């Protein structure tokens, strides 16, 4: 039968109990294909664009290619403040430690007591300076008032002198006429003598007024000189007080500097190997910590002979400073 008829005709004669076969594409197959394609694309992109880090533990240490900056205590004392922590990034000039050289006796802290005494002396000098400035201003005003009063007295005395001179001149003329009349016998000699006595009295008063004028002139000249010297004298005394205050302030500053010393970073970098603790006594030159400069690279050192070829085969021997610290012995290589 199969040789006489086509296979399709023979199959068509069979009874079909299950109906025709229809191939249907389910949505899960499509989703699975898309998911697998996405994974393949992501893996290929990662392989082309990115890398991976592999860590290997080796025996030995790593050292920086640049020298570390060691931070030491500049003077003996105790650490009253540790302002940084291990691994902290600092900039040049940042405060790292505070060293106090305060000494304590039975009366308390010696340097603090001295500083308090110096500050009290500064306060007294400042009060004295304020009083001196007020007194200098009052003396200058008093001197000006005295000069003004002397001028007024001198003007009044000049007017009195002018009147007295005129009076003396009148009495002199009158006395001369009465003397002539007494010689002629028109009046008695006693009357002429009385007029002569009045003239002498007025002349004496005129001489006294002139002496008073000379004394006023001397007083006025002295007052003017004193008025001119007062500002200079006040300025000298004020300058001396200010110099004393500056000296005391410098003494206080030096005392504070001796009392506490702030240790600052000399360059930017990262703090490593911190061994300082608050309250720890230190001596001059004692090691406190290191500062790792920025952009430093670490390289292997003191490795065993077995570890050297393994690390050389795995990658470069220079590692970024942000991934290593001097206390770790692990090296990272980037593929």
């Amino acid at each position: 039968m199969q040789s006489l008829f086509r296979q399709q005709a023979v199959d068509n004669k069979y009874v079909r109990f299950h109906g025709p076969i229809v191939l249907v594409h389910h949505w899960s197959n499509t989703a699975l294909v898309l998911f697998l394609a996405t994974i393949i694309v992501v893996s290929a992109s990662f392989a082309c664009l990115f890398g991976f880090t592999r860590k290997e533990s080796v025996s030995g240490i790593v050292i920086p290619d640049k020298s570390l900056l060691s931070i030491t205590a500049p003077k003996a004392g105790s650490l009253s403040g540790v302002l940084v922590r291990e691994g902290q990034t600092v900039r040049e000039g940042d405060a790292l430690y505070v060293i106090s050289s305060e000494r304590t006796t039975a009366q308390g802290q010696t340097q603090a007591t001295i500083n308090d005494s110096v500050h009290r002396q500064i306060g007294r000098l400042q009060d004295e300076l304020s009083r001196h400035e007020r007194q200098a201003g009052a003396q200058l005003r008093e001197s000006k008032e005295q000069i003004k009063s002397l001028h007024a007295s001198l003007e009044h005395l000049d007017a009195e002198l002018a009147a007295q001179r005129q009076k003396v001149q009148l009495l002199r003329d009158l006395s001369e006429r009465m003397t002539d009349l007494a010689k002629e016998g028109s009046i008695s000699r006693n009357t002429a003598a009385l007029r002569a006595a009045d003239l002498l009295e007025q002349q004496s008063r005129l001489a006294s007024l002139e002496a008073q004028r000379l004394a006023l002139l001397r007083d006025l000249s002295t007052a003017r000189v004193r008025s001119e010297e007062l500002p200079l004298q006040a300025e000298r005394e004020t300058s001396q007080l200010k110099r004393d205050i500056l000296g005391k302030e410098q003494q206080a500053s030096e005392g504070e500097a001796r009392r506490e010393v702030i240790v600052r970073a000399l360059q930017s970098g990262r703090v490593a190997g911190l061994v300082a603790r608050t309250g720890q006594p230190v001596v001059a030159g004692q090691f406190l910590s290191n500062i790792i400069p920025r952009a430093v690279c670490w390289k292997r050192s003191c490795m065993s002979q077995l570890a050297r070829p393994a690390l050389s085969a795995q990658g470069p021997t220079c590692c970024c400073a942000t991934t290593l610290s001097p206390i770790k012995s692990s090296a990272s290589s980037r593929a």
Side-chain angles (χ1 to χ4, degrees):
M1 291 291 292
Q2 294 180 355
S3 60
L4 295 177
F5 301 97
R6 291 179 303 155
Q7 183 64 35
Q8 291 83 355
V10 175
D11 293 338
N12 191 38
K13 292 294 183 178
Y14 292 154
V15 178
R16 299 176 181 175
F17 296 100
H18 300 286
I21 298 174
V22 179
L23 297 177
V24 179
H25 296 283
H26 197 267
W27 64 271
S28 60
N29 297 330
T30 304
L32 181 60
V33 171
L34 292 176
F35 177 71
L36 293 175
T38 303
I39 291 178
I40 293 172
V41 171
V42 171
S43 300
S45 300
F46 181 81
C48 295
L49 302 178
F50 300 95
F52 63 94
T53 301
R54 181 175 58 190
K55 292 185 178 180
E56 294 291 343
S57 297
V58 295
S59 176
I61 62 173
V62 289
I63 60 174
D65 61 347
K66 298 180 181 179
S67 60
L68 299 179
L69 175 63
S70 297
I71 304 299
T72 58
K75 61 181 297 184
S78 61
L79 284 174
S80 59
V82 178
L83 309 179
V84 291
R85 62 182 183 276
E86 180 72 25
Q88 179 179 343
T89 301
V90 296
R91 293 181 297 180
E92 183 179 354
D94 288 350
L96 304 178
Y97 311 100
V98 179
I99 299 177
S100 175
S101 60
E102 185 68 64
R103 296 181 180 179
T104 304
T105 61
Q107 289 76 22
Q109 295 180 341
T110 305
Q111 193 61 45
T113 304
I114 295 175
N115 290 341
D116 292 340
S117 176
V118 172
H119 284 298
R120 287 194 296 271
Q121 293 177 9
I122 292 174
R124 288 195 293 269
L125 286 174
Q126 289 176 345
D127 294 339
E128 184 178 354
L129 178 61
S130 300
R131 289 195 301 270
H132 173 70
E133 290 177 349
R134 291 195 298 269
Q135 290 175 359
Q139 289 177 355
L140 185 59
R141 289 192 298 270
E142 181 181 356
S143 178
K144 291 181 179 179
E145 290 294 332
Q146 183 182 5
I147 293 174
K148 185 178 179 181
S149 175
L150 288 174
H151 273 295
S153 300
L154 185 61
E155 291 177 357
H156 178 71
L157 187 58
D158 286 341
E160 189 175 355
L161 276 170
Q164 186 66 25
R165 288 191 184 99
Q166 186 176 4
K167 186 176 181 181
V168 168
Q169 185 63 34
L170 291 174
L171 285 175
R172 182 179 292 111
D173 295 340
L174 180 60
S175 177
E176 290 176 356
R177 286 196 299 270
M178 293 186 73
T179 300
D180 294 338
L181 290 174
K183 289 179 179 181
E184 293 175 357
S186 300
I187 59 174
S188 64
R189 292 183 177 276
N190 291 333
T191 304
L194 289 176
R195 293 301 178 186
D198 291 339
L199 176 61
L200 292 176
E201 181 180 357
Q202 295 301 324
Q203 287 177 344
S204 175
R205 179 167 176 77
L206 178 61
S208 176
L209 290 176
E210 289 178 348
Q212 291 180 13
R213 187 176 187 279
L214 291 176
L216 277 178
L217 289 174
R218 287 194 300 269
D219 293 341
L220 182 60
S221 177
T222 303
R224 286 174 177 173
V225 172
R226 182 170 179 270
S227 179
E228 293 175 356
E229 289 181 351
L230 276 177
L232 299 177
Q233 181 181 359
E235 185 177 357
R236 288 194 298 269
E237 294 177 358
T238 301
S239 300
Q240 181 62 40
L241 287 173
K242 288 182 178 180
R243 284 194 296 269
D244 294 341
I245 292 174
L246 289 176
K248 293 297 181 181
E249 289 178 349
Q250 183 177 359
Q251 181 180 354
S253 300
E254 292 176 353
E256 289 293 338
R258 290 191 297 268
R259 182 182 179 187
E260 286 188 349
V261 175
I262 298 178
V263 182
R264 301 183 181 274
L266 298 180
Q267 66 179 5
S268 301
R270 190 161 52 90
V271 178
L274 178 64
V275 296
R277 298 293 181 269
T278 302
Q280 171 186 349
V282 295
V283 296
Q286 181 175 340
F287 174 79
L288 301 177
S289 65
N290 284 323
I291 291 184
I292 305 173
R294 292 182 178 177
V296 69
C297 285
W298 296 88
K299 58 184 180 180
R300 70 179 186 270
S301 176
C302 301
M303 292 186 178
S304 64
Q305 295 297 329
L306 295 177
R308 290 178 184 270
L311 185 60
S312 299
Q314 291 167 3
T317 61
C318 184
C319 307
C320 181
T322 59
T323 61
L324 292 176
S325 64
I327 61 173
K328 294 182 180 180
S329 60
S330 64
S332 299
S333 63
R334 184 180 179 85

